């Protein structure tokens, strides 16, 4: 009985040591991988490569669930998941390696192979991008073999009297890994930091400034979305785990495909063309009814249509395929880019160079379309082509190829389940239907008669309008609903649909408690 307890305890200690050895080996490998990725590019780091591959391979419903549930934290959740799987399996590898080294080693080899595959299959990747994962796997195996050898030695009664060998080797490995990881960080920070390049950008005054804002373009209600969304509050949706860092001096846009005169354009040449400034609302197809993925900014850029006409775009191409530095492809209806609307290749957002997470140094924006079919960030290539010839990233994943925005409206105040005093209750929010404009917003309480909301002046058909309406509310639970009509007078549909495949529809409603 007693013997068995001791046996169990010994086994427990062994499992624990094995797990720690495995995790140290994996950690050392990752540290070496990070160090190598400082040279080959942050997106080639083993963890980020595997994370990116997971994003690209994830079925559309999973992706949609992630954006809906975790919002901008979706990437943090993903990376934590990858790390959790790594910790668990490498612990297992360490435990197995004690008795059957080859068995444990296989786990680390498999990681290496997965990492290499994930990094070299990225759209914009080369073979060298697999180096960090390969080195990581080799380093992990080396450390594993070292630790297991010290550990076994410590257990042979005749030889080494101290069992501290494995401890010393572990501490040394952890220290080595910490040095490698820190060196990787520092190198990376010194290498491809674009904040300096961004700080050095001097945006010229617009040659074609935004039309003057009409008096009454905004509605002032406590808690309503401001007419201009500050850059720091502007939603962010993309698939990158490591922000592309393209110094403005190195950026170049290539315009090609079905054109007579391919163009190459540097950042300086772009600024010299004379810039157009416009206020435009941008929204995401993944936005739920009432969701946060919409904002309005003052953009500065050059008309995309002019660029394409200069390149001599042919009449047969119906898709403008744009590609970003990170390999993302987005397809925009060519007709819309050429029809005279303010389709821009932008460099400025709300009076600043584009923030890095919003596409520095250049991104597209085409009013009337969701971001996934029009708003390519870190854009480096434009290709005139056909929808029936090339499918862009999201279209390959079954989203609607064109992505025209739905007429939408949102209640900002009161907040859901807010407690408000009885009497006059102000309901307020925003409504948008880019390029068609908003002609009316209506609100109702508890399914009662629709009441016309007071609208802020329309700045243009491409921007949202704020609205407000006041109700006399009796104590109890009250429910407010909103709907909008676009510039053609078409009323927002009450039919609730999810974002996939062409944008959410339905009326936003908010329930509140009205207090006596
Ligand atoms: N390179 C790149 N551009 C991209 C994306 C992306 O994943 N990668 N996402 C698009 C989507 S789905 C949207 S809604 C907008 C969001 O732009 P924002 O992050 O500046 O708000 O960018 C678009 N441009
Ligand atoms: Mo989006």
């Amino acid at each position: 009985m007693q013997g068995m307890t001791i046996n169990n305890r010994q086994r427990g200690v062994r499992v624990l040591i094995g797990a720690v050895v495995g995790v140290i080996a994996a950690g050392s490998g990752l540290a070496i991988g990070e160090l190598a990725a400082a040279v080959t590019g942050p997106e080639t780091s083993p963890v980020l490569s595997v994370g990116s591959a997971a994003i690209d391979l994830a079925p559309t419903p999973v992706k949609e669930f992630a954006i809906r549930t975790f919002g901008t934290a979706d990437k943090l959740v993903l990376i934590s998941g990858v790390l959790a799987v790594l910790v668990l399996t490498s612990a297992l590898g360490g435990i197995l390696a004690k008795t059957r080294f080859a068995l444990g080693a296989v786990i680390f080899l498999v990681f290496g192979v997965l990492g290499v595959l994930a990094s070299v299959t990225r759209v914009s990747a080369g073979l060298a991008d697999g180096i960090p994962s390969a080195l990581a796997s080799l380093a992990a195996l080396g450390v594993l073999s070292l630790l297991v050898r010290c550990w076994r030695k410590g257990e042979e009664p005749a030889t080494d009297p101290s069992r501290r060998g494995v401890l010393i080797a572990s501490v040394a490995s952890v220290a080595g890994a910490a040095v490698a990881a820190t060196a990787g960080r520092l190198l990376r920070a010194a290498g491809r930091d674009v904040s300096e390049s961004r700080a050095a950008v001097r945006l010229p005054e617009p040659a074609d400034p935004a039309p003057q804002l009409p008096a009454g373009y905004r509605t002032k209600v406590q808690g309503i979305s401001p007419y201009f969304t500050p850059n720091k509050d502007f939603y962010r949706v993309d698939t990158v785990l490591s922000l592309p860092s393209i110094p403005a001096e190195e950026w170049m846009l290539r315009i090609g495909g079905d054109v007579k005169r391919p163009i190459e354009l540097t950042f300086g040449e772009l600024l010299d063309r004379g810039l157009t400034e416009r206020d435009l609302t941008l929204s995401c197809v993944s936005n739920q009814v009432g969701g946060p993925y919409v904002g309005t900014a003052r953009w500065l850029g050059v008309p995309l249509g002019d660029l394409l006409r200069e390149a001599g775009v042919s009449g047969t191409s119906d898709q403008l395929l744009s590609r970003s530095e990170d390999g993302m492809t987005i397809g925009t209806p060519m007709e819309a880019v050429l029809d005279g609307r303010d389709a821009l290749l932008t460099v400025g957002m709300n009076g600043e160079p584009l923030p890095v997470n919003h596409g520095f140094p250049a991104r597209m924006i085409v009013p009337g379309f969701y971001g996934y079919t029009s708003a390519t960030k870190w854009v480096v290539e434009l290709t005139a082509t056909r929808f029936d010839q090339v499918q862009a990233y999201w279209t390959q994943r079954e989203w609607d190829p064109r992505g025209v925005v739905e007429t939408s409206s949102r209640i900002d105040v009161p907040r859901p389940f807010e407690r408000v005093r009885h009497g006059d209750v102000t309901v307020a929010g925003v409504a948008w239907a880019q390029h068609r404009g908003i002609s009316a917003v209506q609100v109702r309480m508890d399914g009662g008669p629709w009441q016309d909301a007071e609208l802020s002046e329309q700045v243009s058909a491409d921007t949202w309008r704020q609205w407000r309406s006041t109700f006399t509310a009796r104590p109890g639970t009250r429910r407010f609903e909103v709907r909008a009509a676009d510039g053609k007078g078409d009323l927002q549909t009450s039919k609730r649909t999810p974002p996939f495949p062409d944008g959410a529809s339905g009326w936003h409603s908010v329930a509140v408690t009205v207090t006596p």
Side-chain angles (χ1 to χ4, degrees):
M1 194 63 203
Q2 210 189 3
M4 196 174 132
T5 320
I6 288 170
N7 256 344
N8 273 348
R9 241 191 75 201
Q10 275 178 342
R11 197 173 303 148
V13 170
R14 211 171 274 176
V15 164
L16 192 70
I17 296 180
V20 171
V21 161
V23 172
I24 290 178
S28 309
L30 286 189
I32 295 295
E34 291 306 302
L35 180 58
V39 181
T40 50
E43 65 288 346
T44 64
S45 109
V47 176
L48 294 195
S49 301
V50 171
S52 293
I55 294 181
D56 291 347
L57 294 176
T60 294
V62 173
K63 245 191 214 137
E64 228 206 305
F65 167 83
I67 294 182
R68 191 170 62 231
T69 319
F70 306 118
T72 309
D74 57 351
K75 297 181 177 97
L76 191 66
V77 172
L78 172 74
I79 294 299
S80 312
V82 171
L83 286 176
V85 170
L86 190 75
V87 165
L88 288 178
T89 37
S90 56
L92 179 67
I95 296 164
L96 292 174
K98 173 69 192 321
T99 36
R100 308 252 319 261
F101 184 79
L103 212 57
V106 160
I107 290 191
F108 292 84
L109 266 180
V110 167
F111 272 133
V113 171
L114 284 181
V116 170
L117 280 181
S119 3
V120 300
T121 52
R122 290 287 290 162
V123 197
S124 50
L127 272 184
D129 291 347
I131 291 174
S133 291
L135 286 181
S137 170
L138 288 181
L141 283 172
V143 170
L144 182 72
S145 126
L146 172 77
L147 294 185
V148 166
R149 241 179 304 138
C150 292
W151 183 14
R152 284 183 184 158
K153 218 173 185 184
E155 285 189 351
E156 286 165 22
T159 53
D160 193 348
S162 87
R163 301 188 57 174
R164 286 176 306 173
V166 64
L167 187 67
I168 293 169
S170 300
V171 171
S173 305
V174 170
V179 170
T182 311
R185 275 280 146 69
L186 292 177
L187 269 176
R188 189 181 297 178
R192 302 277 303 176
D193 186 4
V194 287
S195 52
E196 241 170 74
S197 167
R198 181 171 178 269
V201 169
R202 293 282 163 273
L203 294 176
E205 288 298 312
D208 178 0
Q212 177 153 21
L213 294 165
Y217 75 97
R218 61 180 166 175
T219 299
K220 284 187 182 160
V221 171
Q222 181 73 35
I224 197 173
S225 306
Y227 181 75
F228 287 110
T229 314
N231 289 353
K232 65 171 175 36
D233 299 332
F234 209 98
Y235 80 95
R236 174 188 165 199
V237 169
D238 54 58
T239 59
V240 304
L241 291 174
S242 141
L243 287 171
S245 44
I246 318 167
E249 316 80 71
E250 288 173 27
W251 178 84
M252 167 102 88
L253 179 74
R254 296 189 166 77
I255 307 178
D258 208 355
V259 298
K260 290 199 197 74
R261 299 171 288 276
I263 295 181
E264 285 188 350
L265 200 67
T266 65
F267 194 74
E269 288 165 347
L270 188 64
L271 298 194
D272 286 345
R273 293 179 63 96
L275 300 182
T276 300
E277 182 188 57
R278 291 292 182 269
D279 301 332
L280 305 170
T281 294
L282 177 64
S283 55
C284 179
V285 70
S286 294
N287 201 35
Q288 299 278 340
V289 170
Y293 304 142
V294 54
T296 299
R298 175 158 288 188
W299 306 90
L300 187 65
V302 303
L304 273 167
D306 291 355
L307 285 174
L308 286 160
R309 272 184 285 267
E310 258 178 59
V313 60
S314 93
T316 56
S317 42
D318 61 359
Q319 174 178 227
L320 177 63
L321 189 79
S322 45
R323 198 174 58 80
S324 87
E325 165 82 4
D326 64 289
M328 166 64 62
T329 52
I330 282 179
T332 313
M334 184 66 87
E335 191 191 11
V337 176
L338 296 175
D339 73 2
R341 75 182 70 198
D342 290 314
L344 296 179
L345 173 67
T346 68
V347 291
M349 179 178 184
N350 289 327
E352 297 174 20
L354 286 173
V356 177
N357 57 356
H358 293 294
F360 180 81
R363 77 169 307 166
M364 290 175 32
I365 178 160
V366 183
F369 297 88
Y370 289 118
Y372 83 103
T373 54
S374 67
T376 318
K377 305 193 272 188
W378 314 289
V379 63
V380 292
E381 192 177 83
L382 301 179
T383 308
T385 180
R386 296 193 53 82
F387 279 107
D388 60 19
Q389 271 167 14
V390 191
Q391 286 200 326
Y393 183 93
W394 297 103
T395 312
Q396 288 163 16
R397 286 156 180 79
E398 312 292 332
W399 290 81
D400 181 71
R402 299 223 168 25
V404 173
V405 296
E406 298 260 353
T407 302
S408 308
S409 49
R410 181 178 74 194
I411 298 171
D412 290 334
V413 259
R415 309 290 308 163
F417 309 115
E418 193 177 318
R419 298 172 70 82
V420 294
R421 261 185 64 81
H422 77 276
D424 283 354
V425 173
T426 296
V427 184
V430 283
W432 61 96
Q434 294 96 301
H435 212 56
R436 300 189 301 279
I438 292 291
S439 58
V441 169
Q442 295 184 317
V443 195
R444 69 178 178 183
M445 181 171 69
D446 294 338
W450 289 102
Q451 179 171 311
D452 283 327
E454 213 180 293
L455 283 168
S456 61
E457 280 302 315
Q458 169 162 299
V459 173
S460 85
D462 298 333
T463 54
W464 62 12
R465 290 177 82 171
Q466 297 164 302
W467 55 265
R468 62 180 292 165
S469 196
T470 304
F471 290 83
T472 309
R474 283 178 299 105
T477 299
R478 300 280 163 259
R479 188 160 152 269
F480 297 104
E481 272 172 297
V482 65
R483 66 181 187 186
D486 70 9
K488 298 183 215 148
D490 286 340
L491 204 56
Q492 199 183 324
T493 172
S494 63
K495 188 167 162 252
R496 273 266 181 176
T497 61
F500 184 79
D502 58 0
S505 69
W507 298 336
H508 187 212
S509 71
V510 162
V512 299
T513 303
V514 177
T515 60

